[in-house]
Amino acid sequence: MRCADFVVKEPMVIGHECAGFVEEVGSEVKHLVPGDRVALEPGINCKRCELCKQGRYNLCPKMKFFGSPPTHGCLANQVVHPGDLCFKLPNNVSLEEGAMCEPLSVGVHACRRANVGPETNVLVMGAGPIGLVTLLAARAFEAPRIVVADVNDHRLSVAKALGAHEIVKVSTNIEEIAEEVAKIKEAMGTRVDVSFDCAGFNKTMATALSATGSGGKVCLVGMGQRELTLPLTSAAAREVDVIGIFRYKNTWPLCLELLGSGKVDVKPLITHRFGFSQKEVEKAFETSAGGGNAIKVMFNL
């Protein structure tokens, strides 16, 4: 019942990935009208603190974020949200794709933080939903070679279908890091410039640090463990930079451009769809919790 330092202390509405129709607008909202289809950026920052003024509003200490305790989320029939955080969808982008702007934003922000580009060979540790959108973002940022590693064969097959150049099956055994790093380097065929740990465990982060070439970057995206024990000394000796990301900033316009242009296709990630009745909501959560082939489970109201 927690994610990092965000702890659930009382019953609350969850959900932070959403899109929908505008029903009503305030008198000062000029760019939207009722009936518009919009994707919602879920974090409301204060706009007054130093971090907000510096443009790093995702780090605002007073952020009110959908589904992050104690702020109620968007798993509801209606929400009230600031107009500047509602982004009109291109005509060829569906509501489902609009809702996927949120996870895609994590991958986009990670690639921006790590300066991924046409000369950046990328390793992605973890082929869950966030690992897969990070793969899609790295492709959109024109990374020439991308290797994805995971423990799950099905997730690896999805990563391959989405454009990973190579996939590597790994284990949860921390004693096998050296052997798996060798496999990753062989699959890459050249140096690893940037590694994204999209799981956030001792094993995945240690593997990323060991696999990344001297002078490269490791970006911690996942939050699997609150505390990690890592081989930082050897990484420091090779000047491997370790960077973190927290949510995202100014990503919705780019995500909608990537989706509208067809440069990114998130539709294969939507594996299940349910209505919004009590019975279907329960079934949806059971489907998601059961793992299997589920990646993104979508509610359609």
Side-chain angles (χ1 to χ4, degrees):
M1 300 296 287
R2 73 180 299 153
C3 182
D5 293 328
F6 299 94
V7 183
V8 178
K9 297 180 179 180
E10 58 187 27
M12 63 176 294
V13 178
I14 63 173
H16 57 262
E17 304 174 8
C18 64
F21 291 94
V22 174
E23 289 200 359
E24 188 176 348
V25 299
S27 60
E28 298 302 312
V29 176
K30 308 299 182 183
H31 68 294
L32 296 170
V33 297
D36 282 345
R37 300 177 314 123
V38 292
L40 276 59
E41 182 174 349
I44 306 172
N45 59 302
C46 77
K47 297 181 171 63
R48 294 179 177 85
C49 70
E50 287 302 311
L51 287 165
C52 285
K53 290 178 181 179
Q54 292 169 10
R56 304 189 74 177
Y57 67 85
N58 56 310
L59 304 178
C60 174
K62 296 182 179 180
M63 177 75 77
K64 296 178 180 179
F65 192 91
F66 277 161
S68 183
T71 305
H72 286 305
C74 60
L75 199 59
N77 288 293
Q78 292 178 318
V79 295
V80 179
H81 207 52
D84 65 328
L85 297 174
C86 299
F87 297 86
K88 190 173 180 178
L89 300 181
N91 291 334
N92 63 335
V93 174
S94 69
L95 287 174
E96 290 188 337
E97 292 171 286
M100 289 292 291
C101 281
E102 198 283 335
L104 179 59
S105 286
V106 176
V108 166
H109 184 56
C111 286
R112 283 176 169 172
R113 286 273 289 153
N115 294 318
V116 172
E119 297 181 348
T120 312
N121 297 304
V122 168
L123 167 65
V124 178
M125 296 298 300
I130 293 301
L132 294 175
V133 293
T134 301
L135 159 64
L136 291 175
R139 288 192 65 212
F141 278 63
E142 300 182 349
R145 192 156 181 82
I146 306 169
V147 173
V148 177
D150 197 273
V151 300
N152 184 286
D153 286 317
H154 174 69
R155 293 287 174 93
L156 286 172
S157 68
V158 174
K160 187 68 173 176
L162 290 175
H165 297 91
E166 295 291 342
I167 53 176
V168 177
K169 177 78 175 289
V170 294
S171 74
T172 58
N173 185 354
I174 203 163
E175 301 296 327
E176 297 179 1
I177 288 179
E179 177 184 342
E180 291 170 358
V181 166
K183 290 181 180 178
I184 288 168
K185 289 182 176 180
E186 181 181 0
M188 183 66 75
T190 183
R191 61 172 269 129
V192 176
D193 298 301
V194 170
S195 293
F196 294 104
D197 180 2
C198 296
F201 293 99
N202 285 328
K203 168 83 185 295
T204 52
M205 192 63 176
T207 301
L209 287 166
S210 300
T212 302
S214 298
K217 297 183 178 72
V218 174
C219 183
L220 179 58
V221 182
M223 294 183 177
Q225 291 178 232
R226 192 179 183 200
E227 296 183 359
L228 301 173
T229 301
L230 301 171
L232 286 178
T233 304
S234 60
R238 295 183 293 113
E239 293 194 354
V240 174
D241 295 338
V242 178
I243 56 179
I245 73 158
F246 187 63
R247 295 171 180 157
Y248 31 67
K249 60 185 179 73
N250 300 316
T251 52
W252 258 251
L254 176 56
C255 287
L256 289 173
E257 190 279 325
L258 293 173
L259 293 171
S261 66
K263 198 167 185 180
V264 168
D265 183 9
V266 294
K267 293 189 290 294
L269 300 183
I270 304 170
T271 55
H272 296 76
R273 294 171 173 84
F274 293 90
F276 203 52
S277 66
Q278 180 71 24
K279 183 178 180 180
E280 289 205 66
V281 167
E282 291 177 6
K283 187 176 180 181
F285 276 98
E286 290 169 359
T287 299
S288 181
N293 295 341
I295 300 176
K296 281 295 180 183
V297 177
M298 193 73 65
F299 290 111
N300 291 295
L301 279 63

